[in-house]
Amino acid sequence: METILKQLLDEFNVEQNKVVDNTLAKLMHNAKINALARDINSLKQQIIAIFQMYREKEEFKEAQLVITNANAKKHYAYSFDLAQFPNIRIQQIKNLDKVGLTFDPETSSICGVPNMALTMDLHLVFINTLEENPTEDIKIIPFIVNADPKDLWLNKPSNQNDLYAKVDSDKYAGAFLDKRIVVASQRGRSHAHEGSFRDDHFYVSALPEAWAVVAVADGAGSAKFSRQGSKIATEYLVKTFDNEVLLHELNDLCLAYYTTAPAEAVPPAPKDDQPVSAATTNIVNEPIEEVVKAETAEECLLKVKSSIINILYKSVRDVHAKLVEFAKQEDILLKDLNTTLIFALVKKFDFGYVVLTFGVGDCPINVVIGDLQEVHLLNLLDIGEFGGGTRFITMPEIFSHSDMPLRFAINRFDDFSKLMLMTDGIYDAKFITENKLEDKERWNTFLQDLGGQNEDGAKVDFLTDEHIKDQLLTWLDFWSKGNHDDRTLAIIY
C-alpha cells in the first residue's frame, strides 16, 4: 500500500514533506484507498501476464529452430521439442503438403514420405494457449528435402542401332535339372547415366546326357566392345558343351571319379573335394578304361580328375580361340573384347550332384548347403595374392600360367539349397571382400536381403516363384554408394 502511494506521488511530482508523510499515514487505513490499491495490483499482474504471453510468442519467433533434413522417397518423422515454450501450440504448418508430408498438432510431429527433393520455407502457425482469445502468429523456418541419390542418375536408353547392341536388362527363369534357376542382369547406373551398353551377359541351357550349364560374364568397362566379348564367351562356351559324345565321356569320368576309382582315393565331399591342385598342370586325355588301370588309387584319382579338367580346359580354350577369331574378322583389338567368364556345369547322379566349375576374373561361384550349414566358394578369384587384378578370358597368358589348373573345380554334393553365380556388381556391394564369400553371417544377411529385408522392400520369392525373374531384376536396382556397375546374379534353387 505504502509503496503504491509513494509511486503515485512520484508520478504526479508531489514533493515529500512532513505534511505529505502525515497524509500518507492516515491513508494507510482508508478502506477506499486500500480497495483501489488492490485493484491497481491486480491490473498490474494482468498487464504483466499479457506481457509474458506476448514475450513468449516473440521469443518463439526469434528462437533458432533447426529441424532435421528429410530425404526424398524415405520415411520422415520429426517432433518439435517445445519444453522451453510450454504455452506455445503449433496449430498447422503451411507448405508441407508440397512434398507430401503432414503435421499432427496433438503430438507436434511431422511425418510421411517426401515425394520430391525441395528447399523451401515452412510457415508454422502457432498460438499461446494462455490467451483468452488466442491470436495466430507465424514463424518461418527453412526446410530441406534431400534428393534420392538414385534420382541424380540419368537413365538414358542405349542406342539399339549401334554396333553389337544389347538390351539394357535381361532375365530368365526355368528348370535346371530337377531344380529351378532364375537369372537377371541389369545395366549399371554408371552406364545408364551415359546411355552406354550393359557389358554383363549370361546364358543358360539344358544339355544332352541330363547335364545343364549356366555361364556368366562381366565385360570390362574399359574395353570398347566388351559387351560383345561377354556375349560370345557365354554363348559359345555353352555351345562347346552341347555335344552328346563329350558329355557321355564326362559321365563316365565322373562315375569313375566317384565310384569306379578306389574308395580310399576319393576324398569326402564337399569340404575336402577342393579344386584340383597344381599337380595336374600336365592335363591328360586317356581313354577311361586306361585311366582306371592306374597302379595306385592316388594315380587313378589324379588321372580321372585330369581327364575331366582336360574336357573343361578344351572348352575354355575354344572360347578364347573364338574371341581371337572374332577380333580378326571384325578388325578390332582382342583387348576390346576383354571379359571375365565363370560357369557351372552340373549333373545329378545317383550319388549326388556333380558341379564342375571354372572362373577367370573377379566373379564368384558359391554353393549354400541346407540352411547355411555350409557355404563354399567354388572358384579362384583374380584378386589379392593370386591375380593382383582382374584377368580376362581374352588374355593368352592365363593358359600358360601355373595357376590355370586352380581355375577348375570338381565338387560333389548330396544336395544344395542354392548355387549362385554373380558378377562383381553384386559381390562388391554385398560382400566387399573375398574372405566374406564363405562367411555364414554375411551370407545370412545376403539371403535375408533377397527375402525382402532391405530399404526398398524388394523380395525374391523362391517359394511362389511365378514372377521371380521380374522380382530378381527389381532387386538388382538396390542402392549401394559407390557401386554402380552392371549386376548379374544367377541362382539355382
Side-chain angles (χ1 to χ4, degrees):
M1 167 70 82
E2 185 178 357
T3 302
I4 293 174
L5 290 174
K6 286 183 177 181
Q7 287 176 350
L8 283 172
L9 293 178
D10 288 342
E11 189 176 337
F12 286 92
N13 298 317
V14 177
E15 294 183 4
Q16 295 287 327
N17 55 43
K18 185 178 180 180
V19 173
V20 171
D21 290 342
N22 290 336
T23 305
L24 286 174
K26 291 180 179 181
L27 288 176
M28 291 295 292
H29 303 290
N30 185 284
K32 187 171 184 179
I33 290 297
N34 273 274
L36 289 171
R38 286 194 297 271
D39 290 342
I40 289 172
N41 270 327
S42 177
L43 291 171
K44 282 183 176 181
Q45 290 173 4
Q46 291 180 47
I47 291 170
I48 288 297
I50 294 171
F51 168 78
Q52 295 288 17
M53 285 189 292
Y54 276 81
R55 185 172 75 170
E56 188 175 13
K57 291 174 72 173
E58 290 301 313
E59 287 177 341
F60 182 67
K61 285 179 69 174
E62 295 298 321
Q64 187 174 3
L65 194 63
V66 179
I67 69 174
T68 308
N69 291 350
N71 295 304
K73 299 180 183 177
K74 289 188 177 180
H75 181 74
Y76 178 78
Y78 179 84
S79 295
F80 290 93
D81 182 3
L82 300 178
Q84 287 184 291
F85 307 98
N87 303 309
I88 296 298
R89 176 185 170 88
I90 303 173
Q91 299 281 75
Q92 62 172 307
I93 300 180
K94 295 181 178 179
N95 294 335
L96 272 181
D97 57 332
K98 291 182 179 179
V99 290
L101 295 174
T102 59
F103 174 71
D104 181 2
E106 295 300 322
T107 58
S108 299
S109 300
I110 299 172
C111 67
V113 179
N115 52 30
M116 68 175 75
L118 197 65
T119 298
M120 62 180 178
D121 287 334
L122 297 181
H123 290 214
L124 278 62
V125 181
F126 68 95
I127 62 169
N128 189 308
T129 58
L130 295 180
E131 287 187 77
E132 187 174 345
N133 296 301
T135 55
E136 292 181 341
D137 211 333
I138 292 177
K139 177 179 179 63
I140 298 175
I141 57 173
F143 182 56
I144 298 173
V145 180
N146 297 317
D148 182 341
K150 294 180 183 179
D151 293 339
L152 300 177
W153 292 85
L154 301 177
N155 188 16
K156 299 178 182 177
S158 55
N159 182 4
Q160 294 300 302
N161 293 318
D162 208 347
L163 188 63
Y164 315 131
K166 179 184 290 187
V167 293
D168 296 334
S169 64
D170 198 5
K171 57 191 176 182
Y172 173 81
F176 194 93
L177 305 179
D178 61 339
K179 293 183 179 287
R180 301 283 297 171
I181 186 170
V182 59
V183 195
S185 183
Q186 177 64 58
R187 181 177 64 159
R189 288 188 178 86
S190 55
H191 288 166
H193 191 73
E194 299 172 354
S196 56
F197 290 98
R198 173 174 58 96
D199 291 326
D200 282 6
H201 206 83
F202 71 85
Y203 202 75
V204 181
S205 181
L207 297 171
E209 297 288 319
W211 287 85
V213 63
V214 53
V216 172
D218 176 8
S222 59
K224 190 175 181 181
F225 300 120
S226 65
R227 61 184 181 274
Q228 184 67 3
S230 63
K231 183 176 187 291
I232 292 171
T234 52
E235 295 184 3
Y236 192 75
L237 182 280
V238 172
K239 183 178 179 180
T240 66
F241 287 127
D242 192 6
N243 182 317
E244 190 169 355
V245 173
L246 179 148
L247 292 176
H248 184 75
E249 183 180 355
L250 260 184
N251 282 347
D252 291 343
L253 287 167
C254 289
L255 285 168
Y257 186 62
Y258 285 109
T259 61
T260 306
E264 64 271 19
V266 182
K271 281 190 173 181
D272 297 327
D273 198 7
Q274 294 302 307
V276 62
S277 69
T280 62
T281 301
N282 298 319
I283 298 172
V284 300
N285 185 24
E286 297 183 32
I288 186 62
E289 58 270 17
E290 296 299 322
V291 170
V292 297
K293 291 178 182 178
E295 294 182 2
T296 67
E298 289 74 15
E299 287 179 350
C300 178
L301 180 64
L302 182 60
K303 287 191 174 184
V304 172
K305 180 180 284 189
S306 297
S307 296
I308 293 172
I309 290 177
N310 187 58
I311 291 175
L312 304 181
Y313 176 86
K314 285 181 177 179
S315 290
V316 171
R317 189 81 198 196
D318 286 348
V319 170
H320 175 82
K322 182 66 176 179
L323 289 164
V324 171
E325 178 189 358
F326 183 84
K328 289 179 180 178
Q329 288 176 348
E330 298 293 302
D331 194 23
I332 59 177
L333 298 174
L334 181 59
K335 67 178 182 179
D336 286 339
L337 298 172
N338 276 356
T339 181
T340 67
L341 176 64
I342 56 175
F343 70 78
L345 181 62
V346 188
K347 178 170 180 174
K348 184 179 183 182
F349 290 84
D350 291 340
F351 50 80
Y353 293 88
V354 171
V355 181
L356 310 178
T357 57
F358 167 83
V360 59
D362 55 358
C363 300
I365 307 171
N366 275 85
V367 66
V368 178
I369 308 298
D371 189 15
L372 283 175
Q373 277 79 26
E374 297 177 31
V375 180
H376 300 283
L377 176 64
L378 301 184
N379 65 313
L380 169 74
L381 296 187
D382 285 301
I383 54 179
E385 61 177 305
F386 287 104
T390 302
R391 294 183 182 180
F392 305 108
I393 193 67
T394 41
M395 294 178 170
E397 59 267 28
I398 68 169
F399 295 93
S400 57
H401 198 278
S402 60
D403 68 4
M404 186 61 180
L406 296 175
R407 297 184 181 280
F408 300 92
I410 305 169
N411 283 280
R412 180 193 66 80
F413 306 101
D414 291 336
D415 198 4
F416 59 86
S417 54
K418 301 282 191 305
L419 178 61
M420 297 196 192
L421 297 82
M422 65 182 77
T423 58
D424 62 350
I426 305 290
Y427 156 61
D428 287 342
K430 299 298 184 180
F431 293 91
I432 305 174
T433 58
E434 182 182 5
N435 66 327
K436 295 295 183 183
L437 285 168
E438 291 188 295
D439 184 281
K440 292 182 182 179
E441 186 175 335
R442 181 56 64 94
W443 270 94
N444 184 52
T445 300
F446 180 67
L447 293 174
Q448 288 177 346
D449 191 332
L450 282 169
Q453 293 186 30
N454 52 70
E455 63 178 20
D456 298 318
K459 179 180 180 180
V460 182
D461 188 347
F462 294 100
L463 297 177
T464 309
D465 60 0
E466 182 181 357
H467 306 290
I468 194 168
K469 60 183 178 182
D470 297 304
Q471 292 171 349
L472 183 57
L473 190 61
T474 298
W475 182 87
L476 289 179
D477 195 40
F478 62 81
W479 174 260
S480 176
K481 186 178 181 181
N483 295 300
H484 309 298
D485 198 2
D486 295 345
R487 296 168 179 170
T488 301
L489 178 58
I491 307 172
I492 301 167
Y493 62 98

